[in-house]
Amino acid sequence: MRTSDSATDTHCPYCALQCGMRLRPEPGGAPVAVEERADFPVNRGALCGKGRTAPAVLSSRVRLTRPLVRTHAGQLEPATWEEALDAVAEGLARTGRTHGPDAVGVFGGGGLTNEKAYALGKFARVALRTSQIDYNGRFCMSSAAAAHQRAFGLDRGLPFPLADIPRTGCVILVGSNLAETMPPALRYLTELKANGGTLIVIDPRRTRTAEQADLHLAPRPGTDLALALGLLHLIVAEGRTDEEFIAARTTGWEEARAAAMAHWPELVERITGIPVPRLREAVAMFCAPESAMVLTARGPEQQSKGTDTVGAWINLCLATGRAGRPLSGYGCLTGQGNGQGGREHGQKADQLPGYRKLTDPAARAHVAGVWGVDPDSLPGPGRSAYELLDALGTDVKALLLMGSNPVVSAPRAGHVEDRIRSLDFLAVADVVLSETAALADVVLPVTQWAEETGTTTNLEGRVLLRRRALTPPPGVRSDLDVLHGLAARLGVEKGFPTEPEEVFEELRRASAGGPADYSGITYARIEAEQGVFWPCPESPEGSEASGESERSGGSPGTERLFLDRFATDDGRARFVAVSHRDAAEVPDADYPLLLTTGRVVAQYQSGAQTRRVDELNAAAPGPFVELHPRLAARIGVVDGSPLAVTSRRGRAVAPARITDTIRADTVFMPFHWPGEGRANTLTNPALDPTSRMPEFKVCAVRVEPA
């Protein structure tokens, strides 16, 4: 399996930190050993347990190594690659011929490299001619992306490097538990405090991250929007706004201010449960230093009002001059490994490569020119992720799925599983036999991070290069090989190369001039510079959003956005007037409690890979329900006893974990497991009207001993 005896510098396959690591061949049974890379600036050598144990999934004991095809008897049986690709091409083509191209769907993943995400979007629109493509990154940070676009004219998770965080004066961290989701990033908050800065954590649970805070606010789930508006009300009332910044660099302030003033402190206390003195304390801490930041994650974003909630936190930054200035700003902590790059280059239902809009005639013409097709042949926007999954078996009758496990990860997961089972045809390309792959008609075993070269884009907008360190086992092919083989069988002989660098060169051309311009980035530059920040045009023209100096003859990349101007037509940021509204479900007599969901440190996303690692399973063996001692006493459960949680969508059962670190009106479940403990059986698919993000983070439930 090894390509050489030398070590290979690469990056972790899991979260959006994309921590640097070094892989060295092992002389014994394990294919490769993980070593620290202290020179990589993001993690500076630190790795969490998932990163350290990532090579365990490379083992043939836990991963797929042969294609599988479902027989007439209903069993998945080994097949040759030719048989498997023939079956997939025929299944997709037959559906398209019978029901039209939009009866064929494509569902991608936020862990795919930029090259694979780009090729998958192109495959859907050129080879299949379908509009029905989206990806699981829609469930990650689409609300923050929509709010970024609305306020700043450009969406990049962090508009500044992580290294700026310890140097600012105050950080408000909203709905993020970095200690468990991105452990190496916690050092940035530790360094912030060591430098004299302050940390405010907003979370309904007193997490390991919240324990590091100077101030922890625990609002009722679903009330983050009211909290942000209440803080802005106090900022205005106490005369803490930056009127010079507002006048010079923003628009829409009068309307946004009026909306905030309707959320007076006592009202916000009633909505959120946060006492007024704590609100005033947060305002004083945020406004005292010269610089400050707000960082959000899935907590406020995975709501049916997530876009407006993020918008309210952006308004807070704009009103205090905490945006577009050094060491200040709003940022989103992207979750998935390539959640940033995955949405920039064509997996989303409404986007073309370079973060171009699919409805923009100029964008269609540019990308079609790179692809060598007629712009009119490109389909229009399709359904968002949950809407696509909800349409399976009815309007969408066949599905090609790459790198996602919606049977575990989608909201209202029992319904989604039923929809997947009702398909006429399902093909899944994955590393392991996930719960979704087990339902497929054809399963294609594909290469993993250590067995392939490709780029990812981390939460800072830093484009990185993973280098192949191992030869994949016999019987495994890359996703690019899969798309090449399928396109050829569908009559598209050219345009789907299998070499990642060749795909990236085409991606550079397709993205040129777009908001996410990669045209000045090359594999050689990435390696030489420890990553390159986008936008990075091939020439200096077009990088006005940076405010950075530029090298003669080309762009250095854009490490910090918006220092001179925002990416809007007039260069000004946009305030957006927003008002609090309830979650789609609120507690009632039948469902008197709130459920919120999240992650634990030893598992990742749907757990399809981490649940196959013995060390990680020993640390986090299964699901649980976290509840307050007062609630436990009222319903008569003890720690470790089975507890049933029921919502309007279904029932889950898991052991009780009694703790005083959670609100008494709230229960918490991690979402990594299938079966009766599947948290997403319960969650609400109510969608944000702008981002189409489901409301994972809050729904009404009842609990009782199982």
Side-chain angles (χ1 to χ4, degrees):
M1 293 179 68
R2 306 183 186 101
T3 54
S4 74
D5 291 331
S6 60
T8 303
D9 286 352
T10 188
H11 297 274
C12 177
Y14 290 114
C15 81
L17 282 180
Q18 287 296 281
C19 291
M21 60 169 59
R22 182 168 292 119
L23 301 182
R24 188 175 299 279
E26 281 275 74
V32 72
V34 172
E35 298 179 351
E36 293 182 355
R37 267 181 68 192
D39 64 317
F40 185 64
V42 172
N43 61 308
R44 290 175 275 168
L47 292 169
C48 72
K50 294 186 290 291
R52 288 187 293 99
T53 60
V57 188
L58 296 166
S59 169
S60 296
R61 181 176 63 86
V62 300
R63 53 99 57 91
L64 293 165
T65 57
R66 295 182 66 182
L68 303 174
V69 174
R70 196 169 297 279
T71 66
H72 292 298
Q75 302 299 313
L76 284 172
E77 299 289 348
T80 68
W81 267 99
E82 297 307 305
E83 291 169 339
L85 291 174
D86 286 347
V88 175
E90 173 54 27
L92 301 178
R94 181 177 63 249
T95 301
R97 289 193 304 268
T98 305
H99 302 286
D102 277 356
V104 181
V106 176
F107 199 86
L112 299 181
T113 63
N114 290 320
E115 291 81 359
K116 293 191 287 188
Y118 171 84
L120 186 62
K122 180 180 179 182
F123 176 81
R125 296 177 174 108
V126 173
L128 295 175
R129 301 289 181 91
T130 182
S131 67
Q132 301 302 303
I133 175 173
D134 211 82
Y135 82 129
N136 63 13
R138 177 79 66 171
F139 301 155
C140 178
M141 59 169 292
S142 57
S143 293
H148 268 141
Q149 294 276 14
R150 198 163 66 177
F152 304 138
L154 184 69
D155 160 44
R156 198 179 84 186
L158 293 181
F160 42 75
L162 284 162
D164 283 0
I165 292 174
R167 300 164 57 209
T168 193
C170 178
V171 169
I172 299 181
L173 185 65
V174 190
S176 171
N177 183 12
L178 280 179
E180 302 214 39
T181 59
M182 296 179 176
L186 190 64
R187 67 167 52 181
Y188 291 102
L189 301 181
T190 304
E191 292 170 7
L192 165 76
K193 296 184 65 177
N195 291 340
T198 54
L199 174 63
I200 301 169
V201 172
I202 297 171
D203 197 303
R205 304 163 63 224
R206 192 171 73 247
T207 63
R208 287 172 55 199
T209 307
E211 289 175 352
Q212 308 297 314
D214 298 285
L215 176 64
H216 171 216
L217 305 180
R220 186 174 293 112
T223 64
D224 308 88
L225 175 52
L227 177 56
L229 288 163
L231 296 179
L232 183 53
H233 176 110
L234 286 170
I235 285 169
V236 174
E238 295 176 7
R240 297 178 182 269
T241 56
D242 187 332
E243 296 296 328
E244 182 179 350
F245 178 89
I246 291 169
R249 300 199 59 191
T250 73
T251 63
W253 169 232
E254 295 301 324
E255 295 82 358
R257 180 175 60 185
M261 297 313 288
H263 296 77
W264 60 94
E266 292 75 15
L267 172 65
V268 171
E269 178 177 330
R270 289 200 299 272
I271 294 171
T272 65
I274 306 297
V276 171
R278 304 296 294 279
L279 300 176
R280 295 188 185 278
E281 185 180 358
V283 165
M285 289 173 63
F286 183 68
C287 294
E290 291 186 5
S291 59
M293 297 175 179
V294 173
L295 305 176
T296 69
R298 305 301 80 74
E301 297 163 19
Q302 287 182 326
Q303 299 184 29
S304 59
K305 53 182 182 293
T307 303
D308 284 354
T309 301
V310 172
W313 290 107
I314 292 175
N315 286 350
L316 194 75
C317 291
L318 294 175
T320 53
R322 264 67 161 131
R325 286 177 170 170
L327 306 181
S328 289
Y330 163 79
C332 167
L333 298 168
T334 308
Q336 294 191 80
N338 197 31
Q340 181 72 55
R343 72 179 180 279
E344 293 167 2
H345 298 301
Q347 282 192 102
K348 280 185 76 175
D350 56 349
Q351 286 178 191
L352 288 170
Y355 227 138
R356 287 182 160 92
K357 293 181 179 179
L358 190 53
T359 53
D360 179 0
R364 293 170 66 88
H366 174 84
V367 174
V370 174
W371 289 352
V373 299
D374 184 343
D376 292 337
S377 71
L378 298 178
R383 294 175 172 89
S384 70
Y386 180 78
E387 292 166 304
L388 174 56
L389 295 171
D390 189 42
L392 300 181
T394 54
D395 294 341
V396 179
K397 300 181 180 298
L399 183 69
L400 172 64
L401 188 147
M402 283 188 162
S404 185
N405 188 19
V407 165
V408 178
S409 63
R412 198 185 174 195
H415 172 73
V416 169
E417 181 176 345
D418 290 342
R419 292 292 86 221
I420 289 173
R421 289 180 182 275
S422 72
L423 283 164
D424 292 348
F425 182 80
L426 171 64
V428 174
D430 209 333
V431 169
V432 297
L433 190 66
S434 69
E435 288 72 23
T436 306
L439 304 179
D441 297 285
V442 181
V443 182
L444 304 172
V446 291
T447 50
Q448 299 186 54
W449 58 288
E451 302 162 348
E452 60 186 13
T453 294
T455 61
T456 61
T457 306
N458 82 344
L459 75 172
E460 307 166 293
R462 187 194 301 254
V463 184
L464 304 167
L465 181 63
R466 294 180 186 163
R467 280 291 190 190
R468 176 168 135 162
L470 300 168
T471 301
V476 173
R477 297 185 183 181
S478 77
D479 296 273
L480 295 179
D481 283 303
V482 169
L483 295 174
H484 173 85
L486 292 177
R489 284 166 172 78
L490 294 169
V492 183
E493 298 287 343
K494 296 181 179 180
F496 291 91
T498 60
E499 288 300 317
E501 191 164 9
E502 186 177 350
V503 177
F504 189 78
E505 289 301 307
E506 183 178 305
L507 182 158
R508 291 176 61 208
R509 299 196 304 274
S511 73
D517 191 334
Y518 281 33
S519 61
I521 304 175
T522 64
Y523 277 23
R525 276 197 67 182
I526 296 171
E527 286 194 295
E529 301 174 29
Q530 296 280 35
V532 180
F533 291 85
W534 72 262
C536 182
E538 195 163 23
S539 60
E541 291 77 24
S543 58
E544 300 90 345
S546 71
E548 298 285 299
S549 62
E550 291 165 348
R551 293 182 238 177
S552 174
S555 168
T558 312
E559 191 173 17
R560 294 173 182 86
L561 296 167
F562 314 139
L563 296 184
D564 291 336
R565 68 189 309 275
F566 295 94
T568 55
D569 290 342
D570 60 4
R572 291 171 173 261
R574 308 281 192 250
F575 280 100
V576 178
V578 295
S579 297
H580 173 72
R581 58 186 185 273
D582 285 336
E585 281 186 353
V586 295
D588 58 19
D590 293 325
Y591 302 94
L593 301 169
L594 293 168
L595 168 72
T596 191
T597 65
R599 287 168 48 185
V600 296
V601 67
Q603 301 289 352
Y604 181 71
Q605 304 299 74
S606 76
Q609 296 182 49
T610 51
R611 285 187 277 111
R612 288 166 167 80
V613 179
D614 293 340
E615 182 179 331
L616 300 179
N617 283 332
F624 57 87
V625 184
E626 197 173 272
L627 72 163
H628 194 275
R630 290 204 300 271
L631 174 58
R634 190 168 76 242
I635 64 175
V637 299
V638 297
D639 201 67
S641 63
L643 186 65
V645 185
T646 305
S647 77
R648 289 178 174 85
R649 287 151 296 281
R651 181 176 186 264
V653 178
R657 182 173 293 183
I658 300 172
T659 175
D660 64 0
T661 61
I662 191 169
R663 292 176 55 97
D665 59 2
T666 300
V667 295
F668 166 84
M669 290 187 73
F671 53 67
H672 310 291
W673 289 274
E676 69 172 4
R678 181 175 62 186
N680 278 319
T681 297
L682 308 167
T683 49
N684 192 352
L687 300 180
D688 181 289
T690 302
S691 67
R692 317 308 289 169
M693 167 74 84
E695 193 153 58
F696 286 99
K697 280 295 179 279
V698 54
C699 67
V701 297
R702 64 173 180 267
V703 298
E704 56 203 351

